[in-house]
Amino acid sequence: MIKLYNDELSGNCYKLRLFMSLIGLPYERVPVNFYPGREHKDEAFLRINSFGQLPVVDDEGYVLRDAQAILVYLATRHDPTQRWFPSDAQVRGRVALWLSVAEDITRSASAARLHDTFAYPFDIKACRDTAHTLFAHIEDHLADGEIEGRGWLADNTPTIADVACFPYVALAPEGGIMLAHYPALRRWIQRVKALPNFIGMPGIFAAGIDPQPC
Ligand SMILES: N[C@@H](CCC(=O)N[C@@H](CS)C(=O)NCC(=O)O)C(=O)O
């Protein structure tokens, strides 16, 4: 069975928990305490991932790090429908583009959350400014898509691009990045939450039970 080296509060680990839930893939969680334990920097974990970062998966001895890379692997190897990473060349190109944007979101919106929730010494203004620049682009893209009849980032149906970008957009208010000015982005969040087998995480609630809609 697939092992996921996991912290429940990590949005990058959640990307994979969410995706494996969406495709109904069983897995086992190996807890790694990110904060305050810093177990991702322990010698034992550095032997698994010398970058000292979560998440990592181990699929019967095939060890892979990086949430985006892992999404590509899981969708290719374990999704019998092949819907989440379609083989069409142009769709794949767009998925790759949004996987790259997901990494930019991690570097900005996730960093702002780490600053505000765990006191990480990041330049909070720069993190928030970069996140807002990205969110404004995504807002335009999604609003255009709605006019064209496309509700998802890379295609007419959800792909791993949506899964990769979703967590740190939805968690952005925890880093002081409010979503009030991004209505299309908020509608997309609700569409993701309405997917069959959607699961949440601390700070991301299933559709209809948000205590504080953003
Ligand atoms: N590109 C990596 C980034 C992973 C990442 O930043 N993980 C965080 C936890 S959510 C981490 O381990 N940070 C520790 C560090 O970067 O030293 C991915 O997408 O998986």
Side-chain angles (χ1 to χ4, degrees):
M1 183 180 294
I2 293 173
K3 280 192 226 161
L4 169 65
Y5 290 85
N6 174 64
D7 181 295
E8 293 297 315
L9 295 180
S10 157
N12 277 314
C13 295
Y14 166 65
K15 284 177 198 180
L16 305 180
R17 299 195 303 269
L18 172 59
F19 185 60
M20 290 192 273
S21 174
L22 291 171
I23 64 171
L25 181 63
Y27 65 99
E28 166 192 331
R29 298 175 200 205
V30 182
V32 179
N33 186 299
F34 180 79
Y35 183 88
R38 287 185 58 78
E39 288 175 1
H40 56 301
K41 301 298 180 193
D42 284 355
E43 216 174 286
F45 187 76
L46 291 174
R47 277 197 292 275
I48 296 163
N49 177 9
S50 58
F51 283 68
Q53 289 183 326
L54 290 169
V56 174
V57 293
D58 180 339
D59 186 4
E60 309 292 345
Y62 175 67
V63 178
L64 191 63
R65 66 171 183 89
D66 190 280
Q68 285 60 242
I70 296 167
L71 285 173
V72 168
Y73 169 71
L74 293 176
T76 307
R77 172 79 180 79
H78 288 291
D79 170 25
T81 72
Q82 292 295 297
R83 276 197 311 233
W84 291 89
F85 188 42
S87 59
D88 177 83
Q90 293 187 358
V91 177
R92 277 213 168 173
R94 290 198 296 271
V95 169
L97 161 73
W98 287 103
L99 295 182
S100 170
V101 173
E103 187 63 35
D104 294 338
I105 296 171
T106 296
R107 301 262 156 266
S108 53
S110 164
R113 173 175 174 256
L114 289 176
H115 175 277
D116 282 16
T117 56
F118 298 142
Y120 270 59
F122 295 139
D123 178 344
I124 186 64
K125 183 177 181 314
C127 292
R128 288 183 185 148
D129 287 352
T130 304
H132 277 298
T133 303
L134 289 166
F135 289 3
H137 283 295
I138 303 173
E139 171 72 16
D140 287 348
H141 176 71
L142 287 169
D144 288 347
E146 287 177 353
I147 292 164
E148 293 155 12
R150 172 185 45 76
W152 305 98
L153 291 172
D155 204 2
N156 295 328
T157 55
T159 66
I160 54 171
D162 300 283
V163 178
C165 291
F166 172 75
Y168 289 121
V169 171
L171 290 168
E174 292 192 356
I177 302 158
M178 307 322 274
L179 303 179
H181 296 301
Y182 308 115
L185 197 57
R186 286 185 283 121
R187 286 192 291 274
W188 169 78
I189 287 174
Q190 295 310 319
R191 286 196 288 280
V192 174
K193 288 184 174 185
L195 288 169
N197 302 320
F198 174 87
I199 53 164
M201 66 167 274
I204 301 181
F205 300 89
I209 59 164
D210 290 55
Q212 292 170 320
C214 43

